[in-house]
Amino acid sequence: MQDPKSASPDSRPPFLNTGDEPLPLDLPADPDFPTRFQAAVQRRNLSLHRMREHLKSHGVSVSASTLSMWRTGRTKPWRDQSLRALQALESILDTPPGYLTAAEQQVEKGSESWWASIQTRPEVLNHSEEYAQVRREVGLDGPPELRNAFMHCTVWYNENGQFMGARSTHIFQAVAARGERSLQATFPDAHGDRNPHRVNVRAGGRIGLQRVFEGSGQTVFELILDQPLERGQMAYVEYEMTPSRLDAPRSRPLYDVRTTNAIGQLGMELHFHPDCPPRRPKIRRHNMASQPEGTEFLDDSKDGALLLVTTDEFVANGGICMEWEWDG
């Protein structure tokens, strides 16, 4: 087998698919910007202070802290001034033209670019066609008015393992010039029943149009804030969901929270009765109702616990599902 260090430069893939010259052997072909920038800096053995001085001589001013954050991937060079700095750095660090300026700029989770990149996906819900129908009826099938910065769902089960109800709390932020509406849905499939949930808004808003689909048991409703928000403003909303009747516990119980839009932080909190604790709990984080991404088994200390809590940050689409078993 040929030693990679002795390989001909011509055997290495070009760093761009444009017929440019192959990369020097001591520069990685990885397309990620932080990887390329870090390697180029180490190759020249330049301190951040020295790089800053070299940039000044090229007529570009960049702070050492900014250069450090570029190198670690904490921030990305987006602005025109930053791109001019990258062109100068290619000369200073002696890289091929385009090595830094054409590197892939991964979108940082939680950044405005990340929020803007997420598209609404009704298909993550169990009965997406019903949700999409109401979305069109209320005129919310365009860009969202509100961003779901925070969502936390608290759920209760009784001594017989029956679902008693849930409370959903949200912090919404306006992303339009005027934001006051969001479309919400409850789907009782997760509890083994098809009876619709009653929804009661306790704080921060009211229900506008509401559709109850008897066949699936899904309730889709327009949530309207008490006061319209201007762009960037936030509001707290809380509503409860209770079943119209108590059904027998499901043989394979689970509770599922999904989102069709991005959420900054998504949490789930399940409360159980001492007479009916959960066994062998596990978590699934997934993109689609039918396509779980993976399963994470909780440690043994959670077996029989009366409180199960999990959170996830910057969820693009999909959600969290908690599964467990009942004794017997």
Side-chain angles (χ1 to χ4, degrees), residues 268-272 278 281-282 298 302-310 322-324:
M268 182 193 299
E269 177 181 333
L270 276 62
H271 294 258
F272 298 90
K282 54 189 176 183
L298 301 182
K302 300 300 182 184
D303 190 45
L306 301 182
L307 173 63
L308 297 175
V309 180
T310 185
M322 186 81 77
E323 302 178 9
W324 63 95

Side-chain angles (χ1 to χ4, degrees), residues 91-141:
S91 173
I92 295 165
L93 299 174
D94 192 26
T95 69
Y99 184 68
L100 297 178
T101 54
E104 291 183 3
Q105 304 287 345
Q106 294 183 352
V107 177
E108 187 175 4
K109 280 190 173 183
S111 67
E112 287 301 321
S113 298
W114 179 82
W115 283 101
S117 70
I118 307 302
Q119 301 296 315
T120 300
R121 298 180 63 200
E123 63 268 23
V124 304
L125 302 181
N126 278 12
H127 307 286
S128 58
E129 70 287 347
E130 297 171 351
Y131 180 88
Q133 173 188 326
V134 181
R135 191 166 169 248
R136 290 189 297 269
E137 286 184 41
V138 298
L140 286 172
D141 50 347

Side-chain angles (χ1 to χ4, degrees), residues 229-251:
L229 302 178
E230 296 180 3
R231 193 189 309 273
Q233 291 182 326
M234 293 186 175
Y236 173 86
V237 175
E238 176 182 317
Y239 60 85
E240 291 181 343
M241 300 159 284
T242 54
S244 54
R245 65 176 184 272
L246 295 182
D247 288 301
R250 190 172 181 172
S251 58

Side-chain angles (χ1 to χ4, degrees), residues 47-67:
S47 67
L48 296 178
H49 176 73
R50 289 284 294 161
M51 273 195 293
R52 184 169 178 268
E53 293 302 314
H54 280 301
L55 284 169
K56 278 186 177 180
S57 68
H58 282 73
V60 181
S61 178
V62 179
S63 69
S65 61
T66 296
L67 290 170

Side-chain angles (χ1 to χ4, degrees), residues 149-196:
F150 173 88
M151 175 181 175
H152 189 87
C153 195
T154 307
V155 189
W156 290 271
Y157 290 87
N158 67 11
E159 67 275 14
N160 299 314
Q162 295 168 299
F163 170 71
M164 296 294 293
R167 180 177 64 237
S168 189
T169 58
H170 300 253
I171 296 178
F172 291 109
Q173 183 179 30
V175 291
R178 174 189 171 95
E180 63 176 336
R181 300 186 302 154
S182 177
L183 197 62
Q184 305 291 306
T186 73
F187 44 98
D189 295 10
H191 319 297
D193 57 50
R194 290 295 176 99
N195 67 88

Side-chain angles (χ1 to χ4, degrees), residues 11 14 17-18 30 64 75 79 178 191 213 273 293 295 301:
S11 67
N17 295 321
T18 57
D30 189 307
T75 61
R79 298 182 177 87
R178 174 189 171 95
H191 319 297
F213 296 89
H273 194 277
E293 285 185 349
T295 300
S301 67

Side-chain angles (χ1 to χ4, degrees), residues 278-316:
R279 299 298 182 190
R280 294 167 288 280
K282 54 189 176 183
I283 298 170
R284 283 195 291 118
R285 291 176 170 82
H286 53 88
N287 284 334
M288 303 284 289
S290 59
Q291 298 176 5
E293 285 185 349
T295 300
E296 170 190 344
F297 287 86
L298 301 182
D299 60 68
D300 292 340
S301 67
K302 300 300 182 184
D303 190 45
L306 301 182
L307 173 63
L308 297 175
V309 180
T310 185
T311 61
D312 207 353
E313 290 187 335
F314 303 122
V315 179

